[in-house]
Amino acid sequence: MKLNQLDGLMAFWKVAEHRGFTRAAAELEVSASALSQAIRQLESRLGVQLLHRTTRSVSLTEAGEAYLARVGPALGQVVEAGEDLNALQGRPAGTLRLNAARISTAMVLQPLLAGFLQENPHVHLELTNDEGFVDIVERGFDAGVRMGESVHKDMVAVPLGGPVTVAVVASPGYLQRFPAPRHPDDLARHNCVRFRFAGTGAIYKWEFQVDDRVVDYEIGGNLTISDTLFSVDAALEGVGLAYTFEPLVRQHLRDKRLKRVLASFSPTFPGFYLYYPSRRNQSTKLRALVEYASRRK
């Protein structure tokens, strides 16, 4: 086999993984046109078409699917072997791609990142914020961070921090205009900041502990958001009631910029988890993050 027969394999692997040139080019730090040219040369050498290309999408041909099934695992092992060599020298390395909702970034990731990157200077961490659940395997992420109840059962899940308690809050000015609710049923007479899931379009139903069970409440309001952190800003501006987590508003409560309501009905959830597909073939960079997070619990 000639040496140049290996050219383009990494390009093909990453384009197949991301189902597109833009994200693959960004990960490999080359231009999309250079990536496309490398794959065309690979196709020419192999004598088969590996990809279907349109202006909007990229998909694998039947030959491409078969070829990826053979070369993908091998290329993964090559990359992992290089990372393992770095680990033997005491330095996990490479790009670690994480996906998290903004609220989980603010509450559990942000306190970890500076220390982790200082301890692992050869790791490049790429963090993408997505509201709602994301298929991290399909999207090519190494791991994700979400509430425990959102993590699929087939994932390995590592707790980040402990349980978190809901806090429903409003500004003093809002509560002067509208009497504070005494029971979740009273929310029907209030303006509530609603959250819409980007993936499904569904409006999140507020959950409360009522008579020893969790009850979902459909709420109304004239502001609907898709950013989990923005509800606190809206509450501070007097828009209405916000449903969030107590640590995010603790200082605002101390400063009396916000007031808490329905505290006796507010549930506590298990908290946030770092999750990933499997312990088998776990990369050294991900293992380093898992170990660092475990030490910080």
Side-chain angles (χ1 to χ4, degrees):
M1 181 176 68
K2 294 181 180 179
L3 182 61
N4 66 1
Q5 285 183 270
L6 297 175
D7 293 348
L9 284 178
M10 186 65 73
F12 168 66
W13 184 40
K14 287 302 175 182
V15 169
E17 177 182 301
H18 294 292
R19 289 299 193 267
F21 286 89
T22 302
R23 294 177 70 92
E27 181 175 343
L28 294 175
E29 299 182 350
V30 298
S31 68
S33 60
L35 214 56
S36 179
Q37 180 64 22
I39 293 175
R40 288 190 186 282
Q41 291 174 353
L42 176 64
E43 290 174 325
S44 177
R45 290 196 302 273
L46 294 174
V48 294
Q49 183 179 349
L50 300 173
L51 300 174
H52 291 300
R53 302 169 177 85
T54 70
T55 55
R56 294 187 176 182
S57 66
V58 174
S59 61
L60 292 168
T61 64
E62 184 177 354
E65 292 278 7
Y67 194 56
L68 179 65
R70 294 293 299 274
V71 304
L75 288 171
Q77 290 177 5
V78 169
V79 171
E80 289 171 7
E83 293 174 349
D84 288 342
L85 286 176
N86 280 311
L88 288 173
Q89 299 175 40
R91 53 175 195 183
T95 299
L96 180 61
R97 302 183 70 238
L98 301 182
N99 186 284
R102 284 196 66 213
I103 197 166
S104 54
T105 297
M107 291 188 65
V108 295
L109 268 185
Q110 191 170 326
L112 292 176
L113 294 186
F116 171 73
L117 291 173
Q118 289 172 11
E119 192 171 291
N120 300 276
H122 299 285
V123 173
H124 175 84
L125 195 147
E126 183 176 331
L127 173 62
T128 299
N129 288 134
D130 280 307
E131 303 294 359
F133 192 80
V134 170
D135 187 332
I136 59 172
V137 176
E138 181 181 340
R139 294 273 300 275
F141 292 101
D142 296 290
V145 180
R146 291 293 186 284
M147 290 287 293
E149 60 186 14
S150 301
V151 178
H152 288 173
K153 300 300 183 185
D154 60 348
M155 292 284 172
V156 179
V158 178
L160 298 178
V164 290
T165 301
V166 165
V168 181
V169 295
S171 70
Y174 175 85
L175 294 176
Q176 285 179 356
R177 302 195 307 273
F178 303 96
R182 296 178 179 274
H183 188 279
D185 291 344
D186 298 335
L187 293 173
R189 297 188 290 275
H190 278 271
N191 200 44
C192 301
V193 180
R194 308 192 310 164
F195 174 79
R196 186 186 299 278
F197 291 101
T200 64
I203 298 294
Y204 176 69
K205 296 177 182 179
W206 290 10
E207 299 173 77
F208 291 98
Q209 194 80 30
V210 180
D211 296 330
D212 297 323
R213 63 190 181 96
V214 176
V215 179
D216 295 341
Y217 283 80
E218 291 189 7
I219 44 88
N222 62 4
L223 176 62
T224 301
I225 61 174
S226 59
D227 180 338
T228 46
L229 292 182
F230 185 61
S231 62
V232 176
D233 295 323
L236 288 166
E237 295 296 327
V239 172
L241 296 172
Y243 187 97
T244 185
F245 292 120
E246 191 273 336
L248 291 175
V249 292
R250 189 174 295 152
Q251 191 60 50
H252 295 311
L253 294 172
R254 289 173 181 163
D255 295 340
K256 299 184 178 180
R257 299 182 65 201
L258 290 175
K259 290 186 176 182
R260 188 174 180 182
V261 299
L262 301 175
S264 62
F265 297 94
S266 297
T268 296
F269 294 109
F272 296 92
Y273 286 76
L274 174 73
Y275 64 95
Y276 50 92
S278 172
R279 283 195 174 90
R280 291 182 302 166
N281 300 321
Q282 186 186 98
S283 67
T284 55
K285 59 197 175 186
L286 178 56
R287 191 180 309 129
L289 178 60
V290 170
E291 291 174 355
Y292 183 83
S294 297
R295 296 201 308 269
R296 289 288 301 272
K297 283 194 294 185

